[in-house]
């Protein structure tokens, strides 16, 4: 098999600046992740964390802090209100989704619409950059710490976002702020080495505590928190974790917990567990230990003890988030090394951590099979690469090429390797240098043929490359652009693009006519390159005809509103709600379109008749990917967050026979993988098989039941060709497969030879494209991390 192993896509994820879990009153638990490029990711912690959707950022929109708010009380009650009315209003408030607020190094506080993924409201702090935000326990007040040294209070009850008042000013900026559990006071940490306790009613400081200083330099109090017993916890730039008595304003206990700045502190709701992290990459856990007096049963207020620490990250940890409810039980950390790490909070530091991939799941890579072009999408640019060519190998050489070869990307950006994929899945070799001589000779290296730079106002939400490589579509939250691709007349091997303004005019005219917002979440071409599918921010699905482009005609053939709560006739329904479309796929023959939203509703449309065809049965487990089979276009594969999947025949409107026979996949090796399924691909050489891939694995699944399995054949071939070590691994794989068949599970083989897979697809028979972004390639782009020399090293 010919494999284009590519590492030239130098996508660099942005640093993580802020983390926050939804309040416990919200029905669904979500984790918001704010990045330095302005993107806000929404993660679902169920099923070992799943990236649900991303709110796009833009230029100068770095997210420094973000908070969720969920109103849990009824405000402005009248004496005439009946108890039943108040109870009904409270039920409506609790049933409503939580609200998300963010701020950065600008004076604006923004509320985000988590359905349309756009800014909903904004307010000026009138105090310069907003360094920190905090919401009270009832979700009705928002406190903001500003550059001018003032805390400003905002009313956020009943969907509002209104300025209320400013507290007394202090010297230096407010770096951190926190509410007490009973909302009776606010604690702030500043750049003047001080911690202040504020009276919410008067807006004046009731207590002022001073942290340690070095000579005449001020110590920065980066983070503060308040426990259930009104103990204040602070973390500062000297690495000191301090516990204070809020009523007396005195220090209770101090720990030299870190070697450098403590940037984040989070506490459990019960008040008996504290986590701290910072520049030295260390995550500490402190617990309260009760003490006894004179060996008697009477106990006193306990001391805080460091029960363990871990270094999960390669760089500064800038943010922590804790949800200690048994259903979630997670401490999540993130920072400069762009990676989220989640681990059980109650058992910390005993159990293993879960490292979450930092790369987007969709639209990072697009492939034109016929033209052998790869398109990579970054925050505000698009690049097109021409794949290289290698010298053909003899059958004898093909047989010998048995392992993947790792080559440093600094020397080679693309490796073209001839491998036997069946043998690798049966039992790959671990050697990375033994088969360097088996690499085919490179005849034509890969080449960058187009670099399209866009305005950085808004980050790209989606991009698409047509199969004939004549069109590129790029969407953000404000615009949808269509570019026509042509060969360069002046530079051989290069491509030129020209923006089609007639398309933009036609689309904007249609959206204005229907009172719809511009911009889109998704764009996708049909395989015939004759239609463009656009999913707007309001979940409108538009089918646009491209055949009349020479005459400047772009007709919107049909609009579907099924994800907006509309039926086939465009009428609103009571049971449906507006949801965010997060996945879509088109069949290889261009007849079927499948779309899915964050409410796990999956619809199938017929692009020939331009009608809604079917709504698939709703699963209790959210989906992660959709894909039509390239050789059986009527079969739709739906991957779930549990790493199970099912195949649905959209024409007959029922599950396939294979899927009916494998409804229980709980015992398969695929379910055991930590990473979620990112996508599916199909080898034309093996139409009865499907390859599913995650960030760190490839899984080949046999979709037909024959008497002699491919694995058994390959094992017999391996016995004649390879050494004893390889034979032993193949026999063990065969033994596992035989036991799995006896149990009735599916025939699946897992390979872990690739690192951080961004995309996997096939150009032709036994010709695979593999796009990787290894972790070391990301880390080498980062600035130097904190290092403190130890004695004797």
């Amino acid at each position: 098999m010919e494999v284009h192993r590519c590492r030239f896509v130098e996508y660099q994820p942005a640093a993580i600046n802020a983390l926050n879990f939804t309040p416990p009153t919200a029905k669904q638990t979500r984790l918001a992740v704010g990045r330095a490029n302005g993107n806000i990711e929404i993660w679902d912690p169920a099923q070992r964390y799943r990236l649900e959707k991303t709110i796009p950022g833009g230029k100068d929109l770095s997210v420094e802090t973000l908070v969720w708010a969920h109103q849990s009380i009824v405000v402005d009650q009248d004496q005439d209100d009946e108890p039943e009315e108040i109870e009904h209003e409270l039920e409506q408030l609790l049933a409503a989704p939580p609200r998300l607020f963010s701020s950065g190094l600008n004076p604006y506080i923004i509320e985000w619409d988590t359905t349309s993924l756009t800014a909903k409201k904004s307010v000026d702090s009138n105090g310069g950059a907003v360094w920190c935000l905090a919401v009270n326990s009832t979700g009705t007040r928002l406190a903001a710490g500003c550059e001018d040294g003032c805390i400003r209070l905002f009313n956020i009850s009943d969907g509002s976002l209104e300025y209320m008042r400013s507290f007394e000013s202090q010297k230096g900026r407010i770096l951190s702020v926190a509410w007490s559990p009973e909302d009776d006071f606010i604690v702030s940490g500043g750049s003047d080495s001080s911690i202040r306790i504020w009276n919410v009613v008067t807006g004046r400081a009731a207590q002022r505590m001073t942290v340690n200083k070095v000579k005449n330099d001020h110590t920065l109090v980066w983070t503060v928190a308040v426990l259930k017993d009104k103990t204040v916890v602070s973390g500062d730039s000297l690495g000191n974790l301090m516990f204070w008595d809020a009523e007396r304003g005195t220090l209770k206990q101090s720990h030299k917990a870190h070697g450098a700045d403590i940037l984040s502190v989070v506490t459990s709701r019960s008040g008996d567990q504290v986590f701290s992290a910072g520049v030295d990459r260390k995550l500490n856990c402190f617990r309260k230990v009760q003490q006894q007096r004179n060996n008697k049963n009477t106990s006193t207020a306990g001391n805080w003890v460091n029960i363990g620490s871990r270094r999960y990250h390669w760089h500064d940890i800038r943010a922590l988030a804790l949800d200690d409810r048994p259903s979630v039980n997670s401490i999540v950390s993130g920072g400069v090394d762009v990676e989220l790490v989640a681990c059980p909070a109650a058992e910390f530091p005993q159990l293993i951590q879960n490292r979450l991939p930092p790369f987007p799941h969709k639209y990072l890579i697009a492939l034109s099979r016929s033209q052998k072009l790869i398109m990579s999408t970054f925050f505000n640019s698009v690049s097109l690469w021409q794949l290289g060519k290698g010298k053909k190998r003899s059958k004898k050489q093909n047989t010998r090429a048995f392992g993947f070869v790792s080559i440093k990307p600094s020397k080679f950006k693309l490796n073209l390797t001839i491998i036997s994929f069946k043998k690798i899945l049966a039992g790959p070799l671990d050697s990375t240098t033994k088969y360097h001589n088996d690499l085919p000779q490179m005849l034509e290296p890969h080449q960058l043929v187009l670099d399209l730079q866009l305005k950085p106002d808004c980050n790209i939400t989606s991009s698409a490359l047509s199969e004939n490589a004549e069109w590129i579509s790029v969407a953000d939250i404000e615009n949808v652009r269509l570019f026509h691709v042509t060969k360069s007349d002046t530079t051989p091997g290069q491509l030129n693009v020209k923006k089609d303004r007639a398309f933009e005019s036609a689309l904007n005219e249609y959206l204005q006519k229907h009172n719809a917002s511009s911009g889109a979440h998704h764009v996708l071409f049909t395989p015939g390159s004759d239609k463009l599918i656009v999913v707007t921010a309001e979940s409108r699905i538009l089918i646009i005809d491209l055949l009349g482009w020479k005459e400047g005609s772009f007709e919107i053939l049909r609009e579907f509103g099924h994800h907006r709560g509309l039926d086939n006739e465009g009428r609103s329904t009571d049971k449906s709600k507006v949801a965010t479309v997060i996945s879509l796929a088109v069949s290889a023959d261009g007849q079927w379109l499948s779309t899915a939203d964050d409410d796990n509703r999956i619809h199938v449309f017929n692009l020939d008749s331009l009608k809604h065809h079917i709504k698939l049965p709703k699963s209790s487990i959210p989906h992660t990917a959709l894909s039509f089979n390239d050789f059986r276009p009527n079969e739709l594969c739906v991957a779930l967050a549990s790493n199970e999947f099912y195949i649905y025949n959209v024409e007959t409107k029922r599950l396939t026979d294979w899927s009916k026979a494998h409804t229980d996949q709980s015992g398969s090796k695929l379910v055991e993988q930590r990473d979620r399924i990112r996508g599916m691909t199909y080898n034309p050489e093996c139409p009865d098989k499907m390859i599913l891939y995650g960030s760190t694995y490839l899984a080949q699944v046999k979709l037909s039941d024959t008497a002699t399995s491919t694995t058994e054949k390959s094992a017999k071939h391996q016995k004649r060709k390879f050494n004893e070590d390889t034979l032993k691994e193949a026999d063990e794989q065969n033994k596992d497969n035989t036991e799995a068949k006896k149990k009735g599970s599916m025939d699946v083989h897992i390979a872990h030879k690739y690192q951080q897979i961004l995309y996997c697809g096939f150009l032709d028979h036994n010709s695979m494209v593999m796009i990787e972004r290894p972790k070391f390639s990301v880390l080498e782009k980062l600035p130097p991390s904190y290092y403190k020399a130890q004695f004797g090293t």
Side-chain angles (χ1 to χ4, degrees):
M1 179 185 290
E2 181 183 77
V3 177
H4 297 260
R5 190 175 185 182
C6 310
R7 294 183 177 179
F8 51 75
V9 179
E10 297 184 350
Y11 183 90
Q12 188 69 20
I16 297 171
N17 288 343
L19 300 171
N20 196 243
F21 276 107
T22 51
T25 54
K27 286 189 175 182
Q28 293 182 329
T29 302
R30 293 293 183 267
L31 171 68
V33 180
R35 294 190 179 265
N37 65 342
N39 285 359
I40 300 176
E41 300 171 353
I42 309 297
W43 289 77
D44 180 6
Q47 305 292 336
R48 291 177 296 188
Y49 285 89
R50 169 184 65 97
L51 178 59
E52 188 175 64
K53 48 193 172 184
T54 301
I55 299 173
K59 184 180 180 181
D60 301 328
L61 289 178
S62 174
V63 177
E64 297 299 324
T65 179
L66 51 81
V67 290
W68 292 96
H70 193 233
Q71 188 172 341
S72 57
I73 62 170
V74 178
V75 297
D76 298 331
Q77 298 182 22
D78 296 330
Q79 296 180 353
D80 298 334
D81 292 340
E82 297 292 336
E84 293 79 7
E85 295 177 352
I86 297 176
E87 184 178 357
H88 177 69
E89 187 176 352
L90 180 60
E91 290 178 357
Q92 289 182 326
L93 290 174
L94 295 177
R99 302 164 65 190
L100 179 62
F101 300 89
S102 75
S103 65
L105 299 180
N106 56 60
Y108 297 101
I109 300 171
I110 303 174
E111 179 185 357
W112 297 96
D113 188 328
T114 55
T115 300
S116 66
L117 308 182
T118 57
K120 190 174 183 180
K121 295 179 182 179
S122 65
V123 63
D124 194 332
S125 68
N126 294 314
V130 179
W131 284 84
C132 50
L133 294 174
V135 176
N136 66 348
S137 62
T138 58
T140 57
R141 296 290 184 269
L142 175 67
C146 301
E147 176 76 19
D148 64 351
C150 278
I151 296 177
R152 285 171 171 81
L153 210 58
F154 295 86
N155 178 20
I156 58 172
S157 61
D158 298 331
S160 62
L161 178 58
E162 299 172 349
Y163 171 79
M164 291 182 62
R165 60 174 302 178
S166 295
F167 288 7
E168 283 184 345
S169 179
Q170 69 170 50
K171 293 182 180 180
R173 61 178 65 98
I174 304 289
L175 298 177
S176 53
V177 64
W179 287 82
S180 67
E182 297 179 358
D183 301 336
D184 52 345
F185 63 87
I186 292 177
V187 177
S188 70
S191 59
D192 61 347
S193 310
S194 296
I195 301 167
R196 290 176 173 84
I197 298 177
W198 301 87
N199 187 310
V200 179
V201 178
T202 63
R204 296 182 178 180
Q207 298 284 356
R208 179 177 180 268
M209 295 91 79
T210 304
V211 299
N212 297 337
K213 293 193 295 185
V214 177
K215 295 183 179 179
N216 295 325
D217 295 333
H218 281 300
T219 301
L220 307 178
V221 182
W222 289 114
T223 176
V224 292
V226 186
L227 302 179
K228 193 175 182 180
D229 61 355
K230 297 185 179 182
T231 297
V232 176
V233 187
S234 67
D236 57 42
S237 56
L238 297 181
N240 294 324
L241 184 70
M242 297 182 172
F243 297 84
W244 306 83
D245 188 327
E247 294 181 353
R248 300 179 181 179
T250 56
L251 179 65
K252 298 171 64 175
Q253 196 174 350
S254 178
H255 292 269
K256 181 63 176 176
H258 295 266
D261 301 51
I262 298 177
L263 301 180
S264 183
V265 168
V266 291
T267 64
S268 62
R269 291 185 177 88
S270 60
D272 59 357
Q273 193 174 26
V274 173
F275 288 90
S276 65
V279 174
D280 63 352
R281 305 183 290 112
K282 187 165 62 173
L283 175 61
N284 284 330
C285 179
F286 289 81
R287 282 191 182 155
K288 199 172 186 179
V289 178
Q290 297 293 333
Q291 295 178 330
Q292 291 185 352
R293 288 181 178 175
N294 301 326
N295 296 325
K296 295 181 180 180
N297 293 329
T298 57
S299 61
T300 63
N303 288 332
W304 290 89
V305 178
N306 189 347
I307 65 168
S309 63
R310 289 290 183 268
R311 279 191 170 94
Y312 296 135
H313 292 268
W314 297 90
H315 218 291
D316 303 6
I317 302 176
R318 291 186 176 178
L320 295 175
L322 173 64
D323 194 324
D324 56 353
R325 288 175 294 175
S327 58
V328 182
N329 186 29
S330 283
I331 174 69
V332 184
S333 57
V336 179
D337 65 355
V338 310
E339 192 175 44
L340 278 176
V341 177
C343 51
E347 296 82 6
F348 185 89
Q350 305 299 330
L351 300 183
I352 192 170
Q353 74 279 7
N354 183 14
R355 297 183 177 272
L356 307 177
F359 303 101
H361 290 186
K362 300 176 178 68
Y363 309 122
L364 198 56
I365 303 294
L367 174 67
S368 171
R369 295 182 175 89
S370 59
Q371 305 300 318
K372 292 188 176 181
L373 287 172
I374 290 177
M375 185 178 76
S376 57
T377 304
F378 304 95
F379 302 128
N380 47 50
S381 65
V382 173
S383 299
L384 267 179
W385 296 80
Q386 183 73 57
L387 288 175
K389 294 181 181 179
K391 187 177 181 180
K392 296 293 183 181
R393 310 291 301 277
S394 65
K395 291 185 178 180
K396 183 177 181 180
Q397 289 174 316
N398 288 347
T399 303
R400 289 183 59 198
F402 180 73
F404 293 106
V405 181
S406 297
I407 297 181
K408 293 182 180 180
S410 58
K411 294 184 178 181
F412 298 94
K413 292 292 186 180
L414 180 144
N415 304 333
L416 184 63
T417 311
I418 307 299
I419 64 171
S420 173
F421 190 68
K422 297 178 183 178
K423 298 185 181 72
I424 283 177
L425 291 173
L429 291 179
D430 293 329
S431 173
T432 60
T433 58
K434 186 175 181 180
Y435 295 99
H436 276 198
N437 294 330
D438 288 329
L439 283 173
Q441 180 182 355
M442 184 70 74
L443 299 178
E444 295 181 12
H446 70 279
Q447 183 181 3
L448 177 65
V449 295
L450 177 65
D451 188 15
L452 179 61
Q453 297 289 333
L454 303 175
K455 293 181 180 180
D457 297 339
C458 296
N459 291 345
I460 294 173
T461 57
S462 175
S463 63
L465 173 68
S466 64
E467 174 57 33
N468 60 12
E470 293 183 2
W471 297 104
I472 292 176
S473 182
V474 181
D476 57 36
I477 212 65
E478 294 182 352
N479 296 289
V480 179
R481 305 175 182 89
L482 183 66
F483 298 92
H484 188 226
V485 184
T486 57
K487 292 184 179 179
S488 175
D489 297 332
T490 58
T491 309
Q494 295 295 304
L495 299 177
N496 294 332
V497 294
K498 183 179 179 180
K499 184 178 179 180
D500 200 314
R501 300 190 181 278
F503 169 83
E504 191 170 359
S505 299
L507 180 59
N508 289 337
E509 182 181 353
Y510 177 88
L511 294 174
Q512 291 175 6
K513 181 180 178 180
H514 292 80
N515 196 25
S517 61
S518 58
H521 292 161
H522 308 274
V523 288
L524 183 66
F525 291 99
T526 56
S529 304
D530 58 340
K531 295 184 183 71
L532 175 64
I533 299 160
V534 176
V535 181
T536 70
E538 298 171 332
S539 298
R540 300 172 185 262
I541 302 173
L542 307 180
I543 313 298
I544 305 175
D545 185 17
L546 302 179
L547 295 178
W549 70 273
K550 291 184 179 180
E551 293 78 23
S553 174
F554 295 93
E555 181 184 358
I556 287 78
L557 301 175
R558 182 66 194 271
E559 175 185 333
F560 296 108
H562 292 73
H563 294 284
R564 303 179 61 237
L566 305 179
D567 59 12
N568 294 332
E569 303 300 328
R571 297 185 298 255
S572 61
T573 58
D574 296 335
K575 296 182 180 180
S576 299
K577 66 176 184 178
V578 181
T580 309
V581 177
I582 57 177
S583 301
L584 70 160
V586 178
S587 60
D589 59 359
Q591 181 182 3
W592 305 107
L593 166 67
S594 178
T595 59
D597 58 33
D598 58 354
D599 197 35
N600 219 24
R601 298 178 298 188
I602 302 176
H603 293 275
V604 178
F605 306 92
N606 190 322
L607 295 181
D608 291 341
S609 62
L610 296 176
K611 293 182 178 180
H612 180 265
H613 183 67
I614 188 177
K615 178 183 177 182
L616 268 60
K618 189 174 180 179
S619 172
S620 59
I621 303 175
H623 79 283
T624 58
L626 301 176
S627 176
F628 283 95
N629 194 305
D630 288 347
F631 316 109
R632 296 181 291 276
N634 297 332
E635 294 185 2
L636 173 65
C637 180
V638 181
L640 306 178
S642 60
N643 273 7
E644 298 174 294
F645 66 93
Y646 63 89
I647 302 174
Y648 202 88
N649 190 316
V650 297
E651 190 166 16
T652 61
K653 301 182 180 181
R654 63 183 65 185
L655 292 173
T656 62
D657 294 338
W658 183 93
S659 197
K660 290 179 182 178
H662 298 84
T663 54
D664 184 11
Q665 302 175 14
S666 57
S668 72
K669 294 182 179 179
L670 191 58
V671 176
E672 299 173 0
Q673 304 303 311
R674 284 183 172 269
D675 296 331
R676 306 279 69 77
I677 296 174
R678 292 175 65 96
M680 306 82 153
T681 186
Y682 309 87
N683 185 0
E685 188 70 20
C686 306
D688 62 334
K689 295 178 181 178
M690 175 175 63
I691 296 175
L692 304 97
Y693 62 92
S695 293
T696 58
Y697 65 86
L698 289 178
Q700 182 175 263
V701 179
K702 189 175 181 182
L703 300 179
S704 62
D705 297 322
T706 56
T708 305
S709 69
T710 306
T711 309
E712 293 170 353
K713 291 181 181 179
S714 63
K716 293 178 182 178
H717 186 66
Q718 291 167 20
K719 290 180 181 179
R720 299 193 301 268
K721 294 292 181 182
F722 300 105
N723 55 40
E724 294 181 358
D725 294 336
T726 304
L727 178 61
K728 184 177 179 181
E729 290 183 5
D731 287 340
E732 290 177 354
Q733 183 78 18
N734 262 347
K735 184 178 179 180
D736 293 341
N737 293 335
T738 303
E739 292 177 356
K741 288 181 180 179
K742 291 179 180 179
K743 296 178 182 179
S745 61
M746 60 184 180
D747 186 359
V748 57
H749 301 278
I750 308 289
H752 294 276
K753 298 299 293 186
Y754 296 108
Q755 304 177 41
Q756 295 292 349
I757 299 173
L758 303 183
Y759 176 83
C760 179
F762 281 87
L763 293 171
D764 205 345
H765 293 260
N766 283 335
S767 180
M768 185 172 72
V769 176
M770 174 64 64
I771 313 294
E772 297 176 282
R773 182 63 170 155
K775 183 181 295 185
F776 65 82
S777 300
V778 175
L779 295 177
E780 68 182 5
K781 300 287 185 181
L782 302 178
S785 61
Y786 170 82
Y787 172 76
K788 184 177 181 180
Q790 301 293 330
F791 178 76
T793 60

